[in-house]
Amino acid sequence: MNKKLEQFKTLIANAKNIVFFGGAGVSTESGIPDFRSKTGLYNLKSKYGVPYEVILSHSYYESHTETFFKFYKEFMINKSAKPNYAHKYLADLEKTKNVTIITQNIDGLHQIAGSKNVIELHGSIHRNFCEKCAKLYNLDEFLKLGDVPRCPICNGIVKPDVVLYEEPLNELTLTKAMIALQEADLLIVAGTSLKVYPAAGLISYFYGKNIVVINKEKLTINREIKLQINDSIAKVFEEIS
């Protein structure tokens, strides 16, 4: 094991309160594409005449609802995806350490791996709600409700509980994330470009000195980084297991 991995293991061992702040890169090795890399979703040629990033906006959802759901079901839901070593390591670590996961992902893989203390900044594909009567539907139920999913009770549209562009993040969720970061003494930032706000701005609430960045490409942030490892996230966690 190289010196950086040994240092990472030591930082984890000595930490009392750990926050793992993860982005799309955490789940790419589970078969879920990211958004902003060269091969990411936003750089693919669109099948719908507008960029995929536009389709994930609230205004497009309202004006082109059927197309939105077609895209959403094809590109945002992957029922075959399984937790990778990063998800599994963090779930095991939670058994012996105070660990909070703040994720920008909506895939629910951290919970599937066994993590309990997960803050989902952008929601989850596993929660869906009727916009008219507020009835909740899980993913399997949602997928049975038709091309444009409608509530069997009131015929309202059933919307995924995910944050689209032009929609605000949940205030309670943001507050929980801020408190967790303020109380942490180790912050692990992984698989994120830190270009999506307000999520990216949350790391300013970390007041500790130990920031570890794990990213395939070098990440520059406006904070002093204790350790940067430019490698596969799942591979890093597998090697320190």
Side-chain angles (χ1 to χ4, degrees), residues 3-236:
K3 289 183 178 180
K4 283 191 173 183
L5 294 180
E6 289 286 4
Q7 186 181 358
F8 186 30
K9 284 191 70 173
T10 300
L11 287 169
I12 291 173
N14 293 337
K16 293 182 179 179
N17 294 297
I18 300 171
V19 166
F20 178 87
F21 187 98
V26 178
S27 294
T28 53
E29 288 162 81
S30 293
I32 297 175
D34 66 6
F35 295 90
R36 299 178 185 279
S37 71
K38 292 178 181 178
T39 58
L41 185 62
Y42 291 164
N43 287 312
L44 297 179
K45 185 177 180 181
S46 175
K47 298 163 58 175
Y48 301 104
V50 294
Y52 289 151
E53 193 167 7
V54 172
I55 296 176
L56 286 173
S57 67
H58 181 81
S59 56
Y60 191 92
Y61 164 76
E62 289 198 323
S63 61
H64 299 79
T65 307
E66 186 172 354
T67 304
F68 169 87
F69 279 112
K70 187 176 181 180
F71 164 84
Y72 177 82
K73 291 175 183 178
E74 180 179 359
F75 289 101
M76 307 306 291
I77 297 174
N78 184 347
K79 290 188 67 179
S80 65
K82 305 295 182 186
N84 60 50
Y85 273 100
H87 301 105
K88 294 174 183 177
Y89 180 93
L90 292 164
D92 287 339
L93 186 63
E94 194 180 276
K95 298 173 184 176
T96 58
K97 291 278 185 179
N98 185 9
V99 179
T100 301
I101 294 167
I102 302 174
T103 180
Q104 298 176 80
N105 297 332
I106 61 173
D107 50 51
L109 290 179
H110 284 293
Q111 291 93 328
I112 293 171
S115 291
K116 306 294 184 186
N117 193 15
V118 182
I119 298 172
E120 296 173 310
L121 294 177
H122 298 145
S124 172
I125 62 171
H126 298 279
R127 296 189 303 271
N128 306 274
F129 64 95
C130 174
E131 292 189 297
K132 190 173 181 180
C133 73
K135 179 174 172 56
L136 299 177
Y137 295 89
N138 63 33
L139 181 57
D140 288 334
E141 292 168 336
F142 167 80
L143 291 173
K144 295 176 182 177
L145 296 178
D147 293 340
V148 174
R150 289 193 173 273
C151 176
I153 296 173
C154 70
N155 202 41
I157 293 177
V158 177
K159 181 181 181 294
D161 187 14
V162 299
V163 179
L164 303 176
Y165 292 114
E166 304 167 350
E167 293 179 345
L169 270 62
N170 180 278
E171 289 293 333
L172 179 58
T173 300
L174 281 172
T175 300
K176 288 180 179 178
M178 291 173 189
I179 293 171
L181 284 159
Q182 289 169 347
E183 294 178 346
D185 54 6
L186 172 61
L187 171 60
I188 304 168
V189 179
T192 175
S193 64
L194 290 179
K195 292 180 179 178
V196 178
Y197 286 83
L202 284 172
I203 65 169
S204 64
Y205 289 90
F206 176 69
Y207 301 142
K209 296 180 179 179
N210 293 332
I211 298 179
V212 176
V213 171
I214 309 171
N215 219 36
K216 285 187 176 180
E217 299 177 357
K218 186 176 181 181
L219 185 66
T220 301
I221 61 176
N222 191 26
R223 293 289 302 274
E224 182 179 346
I225 297 173
K226 183 81 170 182
L227 177 66
Q228 180 150 195
I229 303 173
N230 298 123
D231 205 343
S232 154
I233 299 165
K235 178 184 173 185
V236 168

